[in-house]
Each structure stands twice: as C-alpha cells, then as structure tokens.
Amino acid sequence: MFLKSTNIGVHRKGSASLSFPDLSVDTGDSVLLLGPSGSGKTTLLSALAGLLKPSEGSVQIEGNDFYALSSAKRDQIRGQNFGFVFQTLHLLPSLTLRQNIALAADMAKASPDEGRLDKLIKDLGLTDKAHRKPDALSQGEQQRAAIARAVLLRPKVIMADEPTSALDDENAQKVMDLLEAQAKDTGAALLIATHDNRITNRFKNIITLTDQTKEVA
Amino acid sequence: MNALTLAVASIKSRPLHSSLCMAAVAAGIALLCAVFLFSQSVAAGFARNAQGIDIVVGTKGSPLQMVLSSVYHADIPAGNITMADYEELKRSRQVRQAIPLALGDSYKGFRMVGATPAYLDLYKAEFKNGGVFSKPFETVAGAHTGLAVGQEIAVTHGFAANSDDVHDAHLYKITGVLKPTGTVLDKLLVTQVASVQQLHAGHSHYDHAEEDEEKEPEEHNHHSHDDEHSHDHHEDHQHDSHDHETHDHEAHEHDEPAHDESEHEGHDHEDRHESDDDLAGQVTAVLIKVRSPVDLMNLPRKINESSNVMAAVPSYEMARFTKSLGIGKQLVIVLGIGFVILAALMLLASLASGLSLRRYDLAVLRVLGAAPARLFATVMAEAAMISGAGAIIGVIAGHLIAYSAVISIESLRGLVLPGTLLAPNVTDIWFILLGVGTGLFAAFVPSLAAARTDIAGLLAKGRS
C-alpha cells in the first residue's frame, strides 16, 4: 500500500474541526473524494501529501509514518512521488510554460529529463506555446501545462483538487481523459477531490465526505 | 533552474517596481560613494601637496594661514621673515633640507614663487619642455599656466588675477614648462628667490616711476615691505618711526582702483621698514624637511619658543582644518545613509507587497517539493540581485558624481587628480557589499514570511 490514512482529524483554530474516513491508495488505483465545499477535501489532500500534520490519526507512506519523518524529508518525498493539479492552475506567471513544467523537477531536486519534458509538451500539443508566459495561453492550454507539471517526474500518485469544476462539460471530460491517460502511462494512482458530479461515473472507488461545518455549528 | 533563475524571472515580471528599488539603492550608495571619493581625494591631495614638507616656518600669526599660503598657495601670506632666519634654520642640525619661498606676485592669477630648484623636486616635477631657471628672472611654468618656453611675462603685484599693479621693470622669461603633477605646482610659476627679492627691492625704483605719489599708501601684503604681522596697522602707521617721505617705497603708493581690498584686509601691510637694505633680505616662508621623526616633534616647539618666527606642521594644521570642515561632509554622509535606509524600506515594501501577490506561487513551489529554506533563499536572492545591481550602478554613479564635482570646481585643480576619481577603488567593493547587505537586511522578514507560508490554508482558499 503506497498511501494510507487512519483516523485523521484536523483541528485548526478559526475553523471547524474535521475528521475524515480512512483511506488507502495504491499504484494504479483511481479514487474519487466526493463532497461539497466545506467538507475538507483540500485539507485531507494536504494532510495526505505531508503538507499539514493532522491533529490526530496517522498517515502512512509505504508503511512508514509520514509525519514521523523530518519536514525536509517529507518535502523531498512529496516532490518526487506526488503530482498535483489544482482547481486554479498555479502556474508561475513569471516563467514560461516550459519553465513552469520543468519546475517540478527543479523543486524536487530531481535531475531534469529534457527528453521526457519535450515529449510531454509535444503529447499535450503545447510545443508552439512552450516559450510563452501563462498569461498568453488559453485556459485549456494552462490546464494541460499544469497536468504536464504534475506528471513530469512519473509520480506514484497524482492528486487533483477540483480539476474540472471551472470547466465546461466538454473540457471537463477532456481533462479527465488526460489525467487518466497520464496516470495509466506513468502507473500512478489517481486521487481526485471534487464536488463535480459530472465525473463520478468514471470511478468505482468513491469516498464521500460530508459538510462538517454544519455539525459543529 | 535555481533560486537565481526564479528571482530573475520575478524581477523581470515587475520591471517598474524592481527598477525603482534599484534606483533607491543606487541613489544612496552613489551619494556615500561620491562623498567618500571626494573627501579621500581631497585628503590625498592635501597630503600630496605637503609631501616632503615636514615643517613650515614663517612670520608669527595664524599657523593655518601660513600653511595654506605657503604649502597650498591658497591664502595670503601674513608677512615675511629675514634671510638671516632662513640661514639659521638651514644651519640647524635637525634640518635635512630647507627651501626658502618668496611670495607676493602673480601672473594672471598664477602665483610666482621664488624658491630653489629643490622646490620642483618636492613634487617630483618633470619638464615637458625646456629646463630649470638658472638666472634671476628666468622662470619655470606649471602645467596649467598655459605658458610656453621662451615667452616673456610681466607679473603683477599681489595674487589677484585682475591686478593692475604690474611689475613692468623686469619681464620673466619662461625657461621650462612642467608636466602635470596633480599638485599646486601645476598652477605656479617658480623662479629664484633672488628674482622676487630684486623685483621688490627695485619696486620703487623702476615700476611706475611716473605715477603720482600723493595717493594714500596702498595696503599691501607684501613681503618686501612687511616685516611684521600686525593687527593695528593704522596706529603703526601714525607712529611710524620712519619718515615716509624719505623712502622710495612711496613709489608704490599708486592708484589701484581695481585692487581687491578684501585680499589685503586683516593682513599686515604696515610700512614700518627697518631699513631699505633689508627689503631684499627677506623670504616669506621656509619649507623644512627634518632629519628624524623626533625632530618633527621637537623642532617646531624649539622654533616657536625661542625665536621670533613661527613653525607649523602642515599635516597637523590640515588635520585640524579638515576636521572643522567635517560637518559638511557628515551632513552629506547622513543624507547618504538616509537614502540607503529609504532604499531598504522601499525594498522591504516592494518585497512584502510582491509576496502577497506571490504567496500562491510560493505555495506551489512548496507543494512541488521545495523546502522552506529554498523559498527563503529565493526571496533573498531577489533582494540581493536588486540591491546588488543598484549598488553597482550607485558606485559607478558615485565615481561620476565625484569626478564631475572635481572638474567643475576650479579651486580643486592641482589639489585633486580627477582621473583617479574614475579609477576603480578598493572601497567600491565595500559599498557594493553595503548595498547588498542593506537589501538582504530588508528582505529578511519577507523571506521568513515566504518560508513560513501556510500552504494548506492557501490551497484551500485558492487563487482568486
């Protein structure tokens, strides 16, 4: 089992306490975290990715307690094994599209694989735009670049936070196709958090989160 | 791609902001650098002009005035001492070299200095054309006088460029023109002491003999008829032990309407001559090189205590003088430091505001695996580059400011070598480091904030 969570709860001051159902993800899996906004989907993803130490419970990565590791080690593991796609794209406006994708390797301190980078850019139809800044690209092109960045290092798990909610039906399905294709290509697990019901039919493994703010309030 | 590439990209993406911060750093550093170079080169100029001159001896009065007038040729001499005083100094065991100076005349504002060829050697002068004087009324011209070998000139009495009091009895002949030395010598004419003495001894005999003799005695600071520094010359005048009418010096009581009164004010100009025979037997000052550092300590005290002449140490007098000028310099330094602090604040504001825009970018970097230290380094690198570029621009500008200040101030010519102000200076490195240090100091808090970005919280909120 690559990634496993047990009895995770997150208490942050100023916001509701969240507790989450247990979850386990292995390479090749596809898991959908379905829940309305306020159900703590992003918080759960952060906790699973080593970005937010849960107040209770534990996260295991390849059998080890993720938060028993040093923060530097967690950063390193995350950089090399996790790929992220966000609802808002988070491409750096000061860098070109190609530099944005290459950033994944730089930040994870992995040696850049130029061949892989070029192939990804070509496969995603971005070759012409490789040296443009994100501002000069369409929404769809930015979305594809963000996915390319997530999969550059052949991660073990691709985490996507609301990858489709801002898109129309056609683009939503295209992005899901792309994510699934890239996950299959790299052998990565796909963990998608969304409230977008249009894509639920693609998943067998669905974990439903409820809006926990109401219970507390 | 590393922290530097990211920083460069970030700087480029906000050109106006970045260049304003750079300009602020540059302004502060330029000001500090210019003040430093300026005062350094002036101090070096003072030192260069006083090289080989351990002690100046002249008539009693203000030591600073004596140093200024006989070393830097910047003030009016207070009076003269006798040749006998000079001879006595020259014979002293403690004196290695004594150069007599006879001052009092000028040519178009360039002072005529009666001295010995050793005076030229003090400044390691080299001839561009011609050679040294060997007879009375032969003279060597400094590099900036614009004179040529073979030219004959009539000097005027006093130091003003527009003086009408021409010593036309004797013309000086230029025997040599010197190469620039970066010292006062560049603006001087040097001749034998005897030339000046003769000219003044003969002043009344030859000059303006036809001019009216009934006018008020002209007030002169003139070595050939001054033998004592006095503050109450009017009184002296009235109680003059000599009969004016019997003296030839009346001949110089000519009309000089254009003569600058202020030039003479406060200086002695009594006409109480001991004897006409002594007119020729005087020098204005003696430049002394001592045999040992101990002599430098003892000789001035000995002279001041035991004789009717005064000794002053140029380096000491100039140190006191520049110290009193130091207030202006301090003001500019305070201004420069103020600019640097302002630059630091601007940089701080710029980075802080830039950071709130870039919080998501930084969070992304963390998500992609960058450790907090790396984000810290990225923001610090950005500040270092902006302030470093600003500091380099500032140092270059500082050199140019100091250079243009020096070439535009006429009185600094001969004191300061403008070329040296353009040359790179070791301290440039310190100014650049100061600029970068200021930038890093300003960036510390924003960098820390960047490193501590709450990623989970930011991601949950999303980019608006």
Side-chain angles (χ1 to χ4, degrees):
Chain A
M1 195 59 59
F2 175 68
L3 192 62
K4 189 173 183 307
S5 76
T6 319
N7 297 322
I8 297 184
V10 175
H11 312 300
R12 310 193 77 188
K13 54 178 179 180
S15 54
S17 296
L18 301 168
S19 55
F20 299 102
D22 291 355
L23 180 148
S24 58
V25 181
D26 213 347
T27 28
D29 286 355
S30 272
V31 180
L32 187 70
L33 282 171
L34 190 64
S37 48
S39 57
K41 299 185 295 290
T42 305
T43 304
L44 178 56
L45 287 186
S46 298
L48 290 172
L51 288 164
L52 177 67
K53 185 176 164 59
S55 314
E56 54 200 48
S58 70
V59 178
Q60 260 115 42
I61 184 151
E62 291 177 323
N64 302 310
D65 185 350
F66 204 178
Y67 287 94
L69 302 171
S70 72
S71 121
K73 185 75 184 160
R74 289 205 304 274
D75 289 334
Q76 192 192 337
I77 290 172
R78 179 173 63 256
Q80 286 168 359
N81 298 295
F82 290 66
F84 286 87
V85 178
F86 307 95
Q87 177 183 2
T88 45
L89 302 160
H90 297 321
L91 295 177
L92 267 55
S94 56
L95 301 179
T96 64
L97 186 144
R98 192 175 197 275
Q99 284 175 320
N100 260 293
I101 298 171
L103 205 57
D106 290 320
M107 289 302 125
K109 291 185 178 167
S111 52
D113 182 345
E114 299 289 332
R116 163 101 175 131
L117 183 55
D118 290 333
K119 187 174 183 299
L120 263 178
I121 290 171
K122 187 165 167 265
D123 290 350
L124 296 176
L126 295 169
T127 311
D128 295 347
K129 311 290 172 77
H131 297 289
R132 299 265 182 90
K133 297 277 174 68
D135 286 352
L137 302 174
S138 73
Q139 184 77 3
E141 285 161 349
Q142 292 187 44
Q143 184 71 281
R144 277 179 276 160
I147 292 169
R149 186 175 66 188
V151 301
L152 178 69
L153 294 183
R154 302 179 189 277
K156 295 212 171 88
V157 58
I158 298 168
M159 289 184 168
D161 191 4
E162 301 280 14
T164 57
S165 23
L167 305 176
D168 58 31
D169 290 356
E170 194 191 338
N171 277 310
Q173 297 307 325
K174 270 189 187 169
V175 163
M176 284 312 299
D177 287 345
L178 194 54
L179 278 172
E180 283 173 356
Q182 290 297 331
K184 199 176 166 194
D185 182 46
T186 57
L190 194 56
L191 180 58
I192 293 183
T194 192
H195 70 271
D196 189 349
N197 287 308
R198 292 176 297 177
I199 59 171
T200 50
N201 58 358
R202 287 170 171 262
F203 291 85
K204 291 191 200 87
N205 189 353
I206 296 176
I207 294 168
T208 308
L209 302 177
T210 52
D211 187 347
Q212 302 180 52
T213 54
K214 282 173 190 163
E215 291 169 22
V216 175
Chain B
M1 204 175 349
N2 48 32
L4 287 183
T5 328
L6 279 176
V8 169
S10 171
I11 290 167
K12 276 194 195 160
S13 68
R14 301 188 305 150
L16 182 67
H17 231 100
S18 309
S19 41
L20 277 177
C21 290
M22 237 176 258
V25 175
I29 296 294
L31 216 56
L32 285 178
C33 181
V35 172
F36 176 81
L37 287 172
F38 186 80
S39 59
Q40 192 193 42
S41 62
V42 169
F46 280 146
R48 199 168 48 246
N49 279 298
Q51 63 195 341
I53 305 171
D54 294 331
I55 300 170
V56 184
V57 176
T59 189
K60 285 192 189 297
S62 150
L64 177 61
Q65 186 189 353
M66 182 171 70
V67 170
L68 286 176
S69 63
S70 45
V71 178
Y72 300 102
H73 300 274
D75 200 352
I76 311 299
N80 299 304
I81 60 174
T82 63
M83 277 301 267
D85 291 326
Y86 160 64
E87 295 294 343
E88 193 186 326
L89 284 166
K90 201 176 159 188
R91 280 195 302 271
S92 167
R93 249 182 334 105
Q94 291 158 295
V95 173
R96 183 195 298 274
Q97 185 187 47
I99 302 173
L101 290 189
L103 306 173
D105 296 329
S106 65
Y107 170 74
K108 292 184 176 171
F110 300 114
R111 294 184 179 202
M112 174 60 73
V113 178
T116 62
Y119 185 67
L120 302 176
D121 299 335
L122 270 186
Y123 301 115
K124 301 177 180 66
E126 290 173 26
F127 282 93
K128 194 175 113 197
N129 291 309
V132 74
F133 45 83
S134 55
K135 296 200 293 268
F137 301 103
E138 286 186 342
T139 180
V140 167
H144 296 334
T145 56
L147 293 165
V149 173
Q151 239 178 302
E152 294 198 336
I153 54 166
V155 296
T156 53
H157 186 61
F159 300 121
N162 57 354
S163 172
D164 285 345
D165 185 7
V166 181
H167 286 295
D168 45 14
H170 274 288
L171 293 178
Y172 279 99
K173 188 176 180 193
I174 315 290
T175 58
V177 176
L178 301 172
K179 289 181 184 169
T181 58
T183 67
V184 283
L185 188 56
D186 295 349
K187 293 196 293 185
L188 297 178
L189 292 149
V190 184
T191 185
Q192 290 179 343
V193 172
S195 315
V196 181
Q197 287 176 336
Q198 267 189 45
L199 194 61
H200 289 125
H203 190 186
S204 52
H205 296 296
Y206 307 115
D207 294 349
H208 325 295
E210 73 287 359
E211 285 184 26
D212 49 359
E213 303 188 355
E214 277 73 47
K215 294 277 163 69
E216 267 309 298
E218 181 61 31
E219 295 185 344
H220 279 309
N221 159 45
H222 206 292
H223 76 269
S224 32
H225 30 81
D226 298 341
D227 49 23
E228 192 178 321
H229 187 67
S230 168
H231 303 290
D232 52 355
H233 64 271
H234 290 297
E235 218 176 327
D236 286 346
H237 224 84
Q238 282 155 9
H239 303 140
D240 202 322
S241 57
H242 289 270
D243 182 5
H244 276 251
E245 305 311 313
T246 67
H247 284 290
D248 287 337
H249 78 264
E250 289 175 340
H252 71 256
E253 296 164 1
H254 40 263
D255 194 9
E256 272 187 358
H259 216 94
D260 183 5
E261 281 287 325
S262 65
E263 186 183 330
H264 301 294
E265 222 166 80
H267 300 299
D268 61 312
H269 31 68
E270 62 210 276
D271 292 338
R272 194 182 54 174
H273 301 297
E274 302 296 325
S275 143
D276 266 4
D277 300 333
D278 285 347
L279 284 173
Q282 295 191 334
V283 290
T284 312
V286 183
L287 307 180
I288 287 173
K289 190 171 175 59
V290 294
R291 289 201 186 275
S292 77
V294 181
D295 299 330
L296 184 58
M297 305 281 286
N298 296 332
L299 188 59
R301 200 188 314 144
K302 196 180 108 188
I303 292 170
N304 287 330
E305 282 171 1
S306 65
S307 67
N308 56 354
V309 294
M310 176 179 69
V313 178
S315 57
Y316 174 70
E317 294 303 325
M318 291 323 287
R320 278 207 328 189
F321 179 55
T322 48
K323 203 170 156 192
S324 64
L325 286 179
I327 298 160
K329 181 182 159 190
Q330 276 166 12
L331 196 76
V332 186
I333 287 175
V334 166
L335 211 66
I337 289 171
F339 263 99
V340 172
I341 291 171
L342 193 73
L345 290 175
M346 266 186 77
L347 207 61
L348 177 66
S350 160
L351 287 170
S353 76
L355 225 52
S356 65
L357 290 170
R358 285 167 56 206
R359 276 187 308 163
Y360 297 102
D361 301 342
L362 294 169
V364 169
L365 300 184
R366 290 275 285 121
V367 168
L368 291 177
R374 205 150 168 208
L375 299 198
F376 183 84
T378 303
V379 179
M380 287 297 253
E382 187 176 336
M385 280 197 283
I386 288 178
S387 54
I392 290 169
I393 294 168
V395 163
I396 294 169
H399 277 273
L400 293 175
I401 290 167
Y403 177 76
S404 25
V406 163
I407 57 169
S408 62
I409 301 172
E410 169 65 24
S411 59
L412 288 174
R413 285 179 65 189
L415 185 58
V416 173
L417 297 170
T420 59
L421 289 170
L422 290 179
N425 195 307
V426 205
T427 51
D428 292 350
I429 296 164
W430 293 108
F431 282 116
I432 291 168
L433 288 179
L434 174 71
V436 174
T438 308
L440 291 181
F441 181 74
F444 188 77
V445 172
S447 299
L448 215 57
R452 287 181 175 170
T453 304
D454 171 17
I455 315 148
L458 269 177
L459 293 182
K461 269 185 261 166
R463 194 203 288 263
S464 53

